[in-house]
């Protein structure tokens, strides 16, 4: 096979002719001996001739940007996490100690300020040494090393060419000539100080640490400006073998090499004998400060951090494909400012862990997710788990319970009665009122019963089997108002409401509110009427964003996590602005709020709310998914407590089956833990945002929207209850306590069951009854 011709010498220039005549080896020998440019760039005609010859070699320095870590920040500038392939913190030469500058010059290139990029004296010395010794000696100047590091950086970033650094590939004579040529060219374009600054910022100094600033911070926790002679000598000594002389890995070798550097500094008269003696007599004095990488080491909100990371990787704003975006995140020096409120996040994390400790024997999970009405900004995202890919220990997972599977979560959780406000909103949109009366006495629905669904092919749907529906609250199977049915979470009232309208009108509302099932990101389907009782698996973020619409007079905003992204060159990347749209009439929202205000203020806050608030509880059949989703004018928050493994008989926390945080519960509803957790969180956070009162409906059927007495009308409360106390009107321990359907209707429409490892999935309603509401508002 014919040998491949090197493109470096595919030329009829002077150098090409010399190569043909003498051969590569001979020429490099001449170069090393200083016969072609004996005093290159130190002055004189010889240097000029050498430069001219090298200029004929066609090579260009690929000046790709240095790999710089990216950082994610909270909205106030608090750093959350760092991402890097190379830990580097570029600084100006003036921010590097003189000792460091002296050390690197003394050991690597004592004539740095004298030569023009290539040192012929060093070449000659290396040639003689290499010819007479078993060991090999290099002769690269700092400029040549800078060039070589820049070439390596370009190869890493572009994937083109080949590495020539020691340990990653052997330099050919062509490589060496190219390096020399580029060094001369660089010296003509840059000052010595600029070259030195670039070199000290690019050089590898052990592991993934590059540049003297990152190294000083890593090994001693100080800036490069404070490096003393001994510390500088350690770093300068590492250049020859970044890992071989790594003080953390090989302290004895590092100290020996350090002393060699100190000797060179003494010979160059940059330190005194006294300073030398003191330095060689000292230890390494390491104070390792690891700059951990990624969300696993985030200072707070690791699951939010992962959500942001996935947003970057999914957006074509940051590259044509995921690999390119990941490269940008690891090397592009991005500054990613997010919507996270660190104070709210701290409170949220404390609340979920105090409600259900991370390693609680129950295995229960708890989450809190907040968004800001009017912007969609995600303010907090917390769960009682440690972000850790090692799930062998209890309470550790990288699965984000707050979001759907497309964003790093799982199948979500059955919504239960937290879906009821959407049904009521659809009823009002269709021309109804909240004081309309429905017949909630029907507890059994035949599989032949037709439910109108105009958006389906047949125009209707049916249940898959005979459907038995029950309520927790006694005396609920009777006629009642829509308002009363939602307040007490009466399943049969919700079904009676849905039976009198088009199911597609309800899914139209949920679609506009961004309701998507967590496992497939699809809208709710009217094909199975059980969806109106919250049988689908929803994520807390989806719930919080939907309820934020009720907080902002029908204005729905897509959740957003990123406010601004810039890179080290000052470039700004396009990130989504607040994406909001009026999707429900404000008067419809106000009528829904008439009821949800009383649920939050009258029951959850026991009649003493810290500011105007509203919300709704939700519980599934088996008490394995419990919610309170509520809002003030300025914050909407989904609070969830339950089982992340699966949904089914014996999986919940009722019937005194399993103790949660040391306590067993006969009844386990949304009001049991989720609602108190929500109230504590909102009380602590809410005052930092808008707390104005909600808009009143223009045509509300109720004169006093906060009159709890209306829920006692019609003999719905036993005699002896005081209508003026403002206490929870259904029972002392719950506001709206709908137990849900305890009978299997045969329609398992819950979300994904997930894996059997409770640390690795979000359940989302496996095998739950389609009538499962189990709500306790």
């Amino acid at each position: 096979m014919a040998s491949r011709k090197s493109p470096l010498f595919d030329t009829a220039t002077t150098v090409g002719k010399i190569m043909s005549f003498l051969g590569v080896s001979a020429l490099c020998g001449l170069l090393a001996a200083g016969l072609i440019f004996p005093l290159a760039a130190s002055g004189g005609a010889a240097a000029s001739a050498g430069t001219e010859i090298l200029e004929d070699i066609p090579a260009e320095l690929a000046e790709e940007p240095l790999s710089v870590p990216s950082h994610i920040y909270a909205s106030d500038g608090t750093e959350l996490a760092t991402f890097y392939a190379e830990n580097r913190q570029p600084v100006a030469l003036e921010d590097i100690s003189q000792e460091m500058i002296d050390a690197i010059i003394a050991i690597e290139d004592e004539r740095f300020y004298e030569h023009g990029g290539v040192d012929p004296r060093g070449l000659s010395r290396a040639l003689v040494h290499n010819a007479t010794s078993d060991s090999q000696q290099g002769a690269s100047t700092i400029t040549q090393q800078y060039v070589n590091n820049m070439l390596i950086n370009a190869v890493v970033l572009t994937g083109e060419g080949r590495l020539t650094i020691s340990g990653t590939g052997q330099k050919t004579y062509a490589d060496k000539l190219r390096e020399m040529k580029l060094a001369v060219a660089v010296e003509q374009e840059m000052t010595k100080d600029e070259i030195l600054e670039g070199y000290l910022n690019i050089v590898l100094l052990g592991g993934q640490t590059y540049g003297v600033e990152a190294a000083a911070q890593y090994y001693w926790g100080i800036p490069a400006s404070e490096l003393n002679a001994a510390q500088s000598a350690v770093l300068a000594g590492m250049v020859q073998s970044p890992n071989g002389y790594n003080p953390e890995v090989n302290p004895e070798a590092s100290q020996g090499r350090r002393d060699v550097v100190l000797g060179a500094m003494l010979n160059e008269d940059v330190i005194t004998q006294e300073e030398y003696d003191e330095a060689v007599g000292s230890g390494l004095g390491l104070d390792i400060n690891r700059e951990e990488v990624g969300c696993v080491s985030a200072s707070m909100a690791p699951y939010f951090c992962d959500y942001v990371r996935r947003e970057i990787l999914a957006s074509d704003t940051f590259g044509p494909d995921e690999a390119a975006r990941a490269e940008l995140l690891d090397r592009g020096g991005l500054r990613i400012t997010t919507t996270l409120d660190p104070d709210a996040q701290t409170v949220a994390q404390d609340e979920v862990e105090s409600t259900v400790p991370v390693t609680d024997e129950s295995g229960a999970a708890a989450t809190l997710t907040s968004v800001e009405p009017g912007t969609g900004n995600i303010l907090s995202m917390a769960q009682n788990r440690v972000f850790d890919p090692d799930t062998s220990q209890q309470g550790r997972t990288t699965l984000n319970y707050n979001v759907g599977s497309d964003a790093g979560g799982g199948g979500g959780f059955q919504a239960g009665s937290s879906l009821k406000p959407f049904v009521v909103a659809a009823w009002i949109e269709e021309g109804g009122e909240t004081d309309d009366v429905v017949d909630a006495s029907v507890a059994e629905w035949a599989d032949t019963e037709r439910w109108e669904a105009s958006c389906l092919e047949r125009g209707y749907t049916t249940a898959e089997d005979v459907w038995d529906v029950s309520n927790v609250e006694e005396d609920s199977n009777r006629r009642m108002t829509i308002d009363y049915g939602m307040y007490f979470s009466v399943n049969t009232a919700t079904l009676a409401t849905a039976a009198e309208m088009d199911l597609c009108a309800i899914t139209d509302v949920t679609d506009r509110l961004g309701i998507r099932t967590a496992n497939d990101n699809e809208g709710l389907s009217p094909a199975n009427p059980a969806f109106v009782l919250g049988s689908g698996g929803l994520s807390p973020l989806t719930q919080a964003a939907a309820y934020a619409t009720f907080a902002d007079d029908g204005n729905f905003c897509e959740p957003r996590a990123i406010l601004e992204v810039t890179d080290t060159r000052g470039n700004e990347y396009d990130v989504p602005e607040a994406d909001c749209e009026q999707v429900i009439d404000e008067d419809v929202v106000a009528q829904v709020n008439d009821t949800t205000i009383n649920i939050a203020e009258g029951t959850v806050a026991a009649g003493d709310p810290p500011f105007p608030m509203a919300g709704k509880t939700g519980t599934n059949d088996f008490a394995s998914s419990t919610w309170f989703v509520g809002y003030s004018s300025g914050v909407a928050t989904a609070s969830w407590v339950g089982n992340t493994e699966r949904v089914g008989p014996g999986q919940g926390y009722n019937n005194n089956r399993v103790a949660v945080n040391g306590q067993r519960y006969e009844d386990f509803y949304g009001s049991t833990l989720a609602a108190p957790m929500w109230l504590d969180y909102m009380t602590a956070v809410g005052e930092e945002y808008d707390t104005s009162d909600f808009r009143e409906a223009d045509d509300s059927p109720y004169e006093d929207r906060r009159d709890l007495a209306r829920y006692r009308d019609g003999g719905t409360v036993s005699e002896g209850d005081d209508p003026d106390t403002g206490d929870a009107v259904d029972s002392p321990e719950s506001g709206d306590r709908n137990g849900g359907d305890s009978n299997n209707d045969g329609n398992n429409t819950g979300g994904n069951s997930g894996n059997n490892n409770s640390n690795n999935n979000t359940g989302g309603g496996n095998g739950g009854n389609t009538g499962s509401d189990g709500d306790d508002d």
Side-chain angles (χ1 to χ4, degrees):
M1 182 178 69
S3 61
R4 186 175 60 182
K5 191 174 184 180
S6 170
L8 179 62
F9 306 119
D10 186 15
T11 177
T13 62
T14 302
V15 174
K17 293 175 182 178
I18 293 174
M19 291 294 176
S20 300
F21 179 73
L22 296 177
V24 175
S25 297
L27 176 63
C28 289
L30 290 171
L31 286 171
L35 297 180
I36 287 183
F37 48 104
L39 296 173
S42 63
S48 177
T51 298
E52 289 174 1
I53 291 175
L54 286 176
E55 294 233 2
D56 287 333
I57 299 176
E60 294 180 358
L61 181 61
E63 295 188 63
E64 297 292 338
L66 292 184
S67 176
V68 179
S70 294
H71 303 273
I72 295 179
Y73 299 91
S75 59
D76 69 344
T78 300
E79 183 174 319
L80 301 180
T82 301
F83 295 82
Y84 61 80
E86 299 176 2
N87 181 22
R88 178 184 284 108
Q89 302 173 39
V91 292
L93 190 63
E94 63 189 29
D95 294 321
I96 300 173
S97 73
Q98 187 62 47
E99 289 85 348
M100 184 67 240
I101 294 170
D102 291 339
I104 201 70
I105 292 175
I107 196 63
E108 289 298 318
D109 189 358
E110 70 270 20
R111 284 180 294 280
F112 173 68
Y113 283 104
E114 301 169 16
H115 62 66
V118 179
D119 183 6
R121 205 184 312 174
L123 282 170
S124 300
R125 183 186 64 240
L127 176 65
V128 172
H129 174 88
N130 295 343
T132 60
S133 173
D134 292 335
S135 64
Q136 295 294 298
Q137 186 179 90
S140 292
T141 64
I142 284 177
T143 310
Q144 287 175 258
Q145 292 181 51
Y146 172 66
V147 165
N148 195 44
N149 277 280
M150 288 294 287
L151 291 173
I152 293 168
N153 183 67
V155 168
V156 170
L157 290 181
T158 66
E160 300 175 357
R162 64 186 182 86
L163 299 179
T164 60
I165 194 170
S166 176
T168 59
Q170 295 296 319
K171 287 184 183 179
T172 66
Y173 292 120
D175 291 330
K176 191 67 178 176
L177 282 172
R178 183 186 183 208
E179 179 187 288
M180 291 177 181
K181 189 268 185 182
L182 290 172
V184 172
V186 165
E187 291 268 357
Q188 294 173 348
E189 297 294 329
M190 299 172 64
T191 68
K192 287 289 187 180
D193 283 354
E194 288 172 339
I195 294 168
L196 189 59
E197 177 182 304
Y199 175 72
L200 290 173
N201 279 309
I202 198 173
V203 65
L204 173 62
L205 294 172
Q208 290 179 286
T209 304
Y210 291 76
V212 295
E213 177 68 21
Q217 296 286 359
Y218 182 88
Y219 295 113
W220 296 285
I222 61 173
S225 61
E226 296 180 10
L227 287 167
N228 60 31
Q231 293 164 336
S232 298
V234 169
L235 298 185
M238 293 174 69
V239 170
Q240 187 180 83
S241 178
N243 292 318
Y245 293 128
N246 186 325
E248 182 183 17
V249 179
N250 299 307
E252 291 185 7
S254 175
Q255 188 160 332
R257 178 65 177 166
R258 177 201 69 178
D259 294 347
V260 171
V261 177
L262 289 169
M265 295 174 72
L266 180 63
N267 291 337
E268 292 297 314
D269 293 326
V270 293
I271 58 173
T272 65
Q273 183 67 49
E274 182 180 358
E275 291 170 331
Y276 169 82
D277 293 339
E278 180 181 354
V280 297
S282 66
L284 294 174
L286 299 180
D287 180 16
I288 302 298
N289 293 267
R290 289 181 177 82
E291 181 72 53
E292 299 290 355
V293 62
C295 297
V296 72
S297 58
S299 62
M300 64 167 59
Y303 294 97
F304 176 79
C305 170
D306 187 62
Y307 181 83
V308 171
R309 180 186 69 86
R310 290 172 183 272
E311 290 252 297
I312 297 290
L313 296 183
S315 172
D316 57 11
T317 296
F318 303 101
D321 53 46
E322 186 170 322
R325 298 161 199 157
E327 190 79 359
L328 178 64
L329 183 61
D330 287 341
R331 297 180 178 276
L334 300 182
R335 180 183 177 89
I336 304 165
T337 303
T338 71
T339 60
L340 190 81
D341 178 340
D343 293 333
Q345 178 65 31
T346 299
V347 174
Q349 194 62 44
D350 289 344
E351 285 296 331
V352 295
E353 292 187 17
S354 63
T355 300
V356 184
V358 172
T359 57
D360 194 64
E361 293 182 0
S362 67
T367 72
L368 278 168
T369 306
S370 288
V371 299
E372 183 179 37
T375 65
N377 290 348
I378 301 172
L379 304 176
S380 65
M381 185 180 286
Q383 67 189 52
N384 67 330
R385 293 290 187 266
V386 175
F387 188 86
D388 191 341
D390 180 9
T391 59
S392 60
Q393 299 183 55
Q394 184 180 358
R396 295 175 181 269
T397 184
T398 56
L399 200 66
N400 189 347
Y401 300 155
N402 296 279
V403 299
S405 59
D406 63 329
F413 312 105
Q414 287 186 319
S417 288
S418 63
L419 204 76
K420 285 183 168 67
F422 311 139
V423 177
V424 174
W427 175 266
I428 300 169
E429 281 192 343
E430 292 295 287
E433 295 186 353
T434 55
D435 66 345
D436 290 339
V437 175
V438 293
D439 183 2
S441 64
V442 180
E444 181 179 290
W445 300 82
D447 56 2
T448 57
E449 181 75 29
R450 291 191 176 188
W451 301 74
E452 183 183 355
S454 61
C455 56
L456 299 181
E457 184 176 356
R458 295 184 300 175
Y460 68 90
T461 189
T462 61
E464 295 178 8
D465 204 344
V466 175
W467 188 9
D468 292 324
V469 181
S470 66
N471 302 304
V472 165
E473 202 65 35
E474 295 182 1
D475 192 29
S476 293
N477 293 68
R478 55 177 179 75
R479 294 174 64 79
M480 61 184 62
T481 63
I482 300 288
D483 172 70
Y484 182 94
M486 180 166 68
Y487 184 90
F488 285 101
S489 276
V490 180
N491 285 333
T492 54
T494 300
L495 292 178
T497 303
E500 292 189 21
M501 54 188 303
D502 188 337
L503 295 183
C504 295
I506 301 172
T507 57
D508 181 51
V509 168
T510 57
D511 284 347
R512 281 180 270 141
L513 294 177
I515 298 292
R516 301 287 185 271
T517 52
N519 64 326
D520 58 12
N521 201 33
E522 296 290 334
L524 299 182
S525 171
N528 191 326
F531 83 88
V532 301
L533 296 183
S535 59
L538 304 183
S539 74
L541 180 58
T542 291
Q543 290 267 65
Y547 271 72
T549 310
F550 292 129
D552 194 35
D553 296 332
N555 185 37
F556 170 75
C557 300
E558 290 286 348
R560 65 193 292 248
I562 300 174
L563 293 176
E564 182 182 68
V565 179
T566 59
D567 62 21
T568 53
R569 295 182 174 183
N571 299 317
E572 286 194 27
Y573 292 79
D574 290 333
V575 297
E577 298 290 335
D579 183 9
C580 304
E581 181 182 359
Q582 190 76 27
V583 297
I584 300 182
D585 184 82
E586 59 185 15
D587 203 62
V588 172
V589 169
Q591 291 187 61
V592 173
N593 286 348
D594 280 351
T595 304
T596 56
I597 287 170
N598 284 299
I599 292 170
E601 296 184 5
T603 62
V604 174
D608 187 24
F611 41 76
M613 52 178 52
K616 185 72 180 71
T617 56
T619 308
N620 72 342
D621 269 359
F622 309 112
S624 57
S625 176
T626 69
W627 300 82
F628 190 84
V629 191
Y631 45 97
S632 63
S633 292
V635 182
T637 302
S639 171
W640 179 87
V641 178
N643 189 319
T644 61
E645 185 173 351
R646 56 186 181 273
V647 177
Q651 298 302 319
Y653 299 100
N654 55 354
N655 300 320
N656 295 320
R657 189 181 63 83
V658 178
V660 178
N661 199 8
Q663 184 171 347
R664 296 178 186 273
Y665 299 92
E666 176 62 32
D667 297 318
F668 195 80
Y669 302 120
S671 62
T672 306
L673 292 179
M677 181 170 72
W678 176 90
L679 181 62
D680 289 345
Y681 168 79
M682 289 292 287
T683 299
V685 171
E687 294 284 1
E688 299 300 317
Y689 295 87
D690 183 11
T691 57
S692 58
D693 203 357
F694 303 105
R695 180 186 178 281
E696 292 193 22
D698 292 335
D699 55 356
S700 172
Y702 306 106
E703 292 184 4
D704 184 354
R705 70 191 313 185
R706 287 179 168 84
D707 180 14
L708 288 176
R710 71 174 186 259
Y711 299 111
R712 294 177 168 81
D713 291 345
T716 59
V717 178
S718 59
E719 294 182 4
D721 282 345
D722 182 1
D724 297 322
T725 62
D727 292 336
V729 297
D730 57 339
S731 71
E733 55 272 4
S734 71
D736 154 29
R737 205 187 52 177
N738 167 355
D741 177 15
S742 60
N743 303 302
N744 192 343
D745 64 354
N747 299 319
N748 298 326
T749 62
N752 293 338
S753 63
N755 304 322
N756 289 329
N757 182 342
S758 63
N759 286 329
N760 290 311
N761 61 85
T762 60
N766 165 31
N769 303 331
T770 54
S772 69
D773 159 83
D775 197 28
D776 70 6
D777 334 12

